[in-house]
Amino acid sequence: MRAFGFLSFGHYGHAAAHGGLSARQMLHDALDITVGADELGVNGAYFRVHHFATQSASPMPLLAAAAARTQRIEVGTGVIDMRYENPLQLAEEAAALDLIADGRVALGVSRGSPEPADRGWETFGYTGSTDPRGADIARDKFELFLRAVRGERLAPADPKQYGPGTRLRVEPHSEGLIERIWWGAGSRDSAETVGRQGLNLMSSTLLTEATGATFGELQAEQIDRYREAFAEAGHTRRPRVSVSRSVFPVVTEQDALMFGLRSGNGADQIGIIDGMRSTFGRTYVGEPDLLVEQLKEDAAVMSADTLMLTIPSQLGVDLNLHILEGFAQHVAPALGWKRNTEGPVVGDPATA
């Protein structure tokens, strides 16, 4: 690990636990957290995308605003649900975002996780899936999205304007954007597919596997298999890999009161998602020296180049910046962290 960022779910709503946070306040808080994180030297600001839910959804306006207000921090998603997307429109918006951000984009996409709406992508107008999870339309859309991002000329031009045989690409086009596309993989097999495609790997907050190994061990094997597939496919660049964890440094008495009893601390969790037995990662809470020791023993954290810290964004700007500052000052340096002032994050070489 040499970089870290925050991953925000963007919760809001009327529940008492959320303090009655409005969607407007959630978005403004997200921007303020991103600006503050940029000033702290944090490397990335990433946002979840869910539909028909009181949390972050359409990400491009937020990411564009964040990019415009910051200088060095990477902005991105974890992840965009391709079932709900028009792939060519997404390619247009992603290119415009990348140009606004001067290449500071980490656009995570995937098939998507379970949503509150039953086959909600059909309500968005995307029908025809024969898979109850919509994986088939997500896969087809993603392939078309990648073709557009690469600059392939997909549309026949009007022969009255261009003459016969001319084809047009999606505009704007951003050179190098393809190297900033990530796939959110939830299993070891899907990670190998990502490697063969030559994309970056965003290892999921859960794995749809439960073998008895720890979450960190499963993810570390997933990362190894991804890098091997990447190299075997003949890709030569240095790919990026991220994992996410909940980490709460206890550096004040208030921290101990706030975080000391958080659920999930100390053990992985096993549950059922999409009908599959799945492994969820533990929550890390403790004094900095303990966190350094525990995270160094987490094989996936040490294998990835980027660690995403899931944050309780609904609890306000000051608290979340306090968490990020505590990690930056007291934990991250011992793990190999390099501030965003030292330049863009570089992945590790992939070897077969």
Side-chain angles (χ1 to χ4, degrees), residues 86-92 140-158 165-173:
N86 177 314
L88 299 189
Q89 182 175 345
L90 181 62
E92 285 184 351
D140 292 344
K141 288 182 177 191
F142 184 58
E143 291 173 358
L144 181 56
F145 168 72
L146 291 180
R147 291 171 63 192
V149 168
R150 291 188 175 106
E152 187 173 332
R153 297 184 177 275
L154 297 170
D158 182 351
T166 302
R167 299 185 69 83
L168 305 175
R169 71 182 185 184
V170 165
E171 296 287 354
H173 177 72

Side-chain angles (χ1 to χ4, degrees), residues 7 14-15 19 33 48 62 124 129 134 155 168 182 234 238 246 263 269 274 299 327 350:
L7 175 62
H14 62 273
I33 293 170
R48 289 293 294 266
L62 174 60
F124 268 47
S129 173
L168 305 175
W182 305 59
R238 298 175 63 152
S246 295
S263 62
Q269 301 174 69
D274 265 4
F327 190 82

Side-chain angles (χ1 to χ4, degrees), residues 165-188:
T166 302
R167 299 185 69 83
L168 305 175
R169 71 182 185 184
V170 165
E171 296 287 354
H173 177 72
S174 181
E175 292 292 338
L177 174 60
I178 191 64
E179 296 184 358
R180 293 182 280 279
I181 303 300
W182 305 59
W183 180 264
S187 71
R188 291 167 293 176

Side-chain angles (χ1 to χ4, degrees), residues 186-205:
S187 71
R188 291 167 293 176
D189 290 342
S190 61
E192 289 183 356
T193 300
V194 179
R196 288 190 291 269
Q197 291 176 309
L199 305 171
N200 300 309
L201 174 65
M202 190 171 286
S203 188
S204 177
T205 53

Side-chain angles (χ1 to χ4, degrees), residues 76-107:
T77 51
V79 288
I80 293 173
D81 187 332
M82 286 303 300
R83 298 172 296 183
Y84 287 80
E85 296 294 328
N86 177 314
L88 299 189
Q89 182 175 345
L90 181 62
E92 285 184 351
E93 293 176 349
L97 171 65
D98 199 52
L99 295 171
I100 291 170
D102 293 326
R104 293 182 289 123
V105 167
L107 202 69

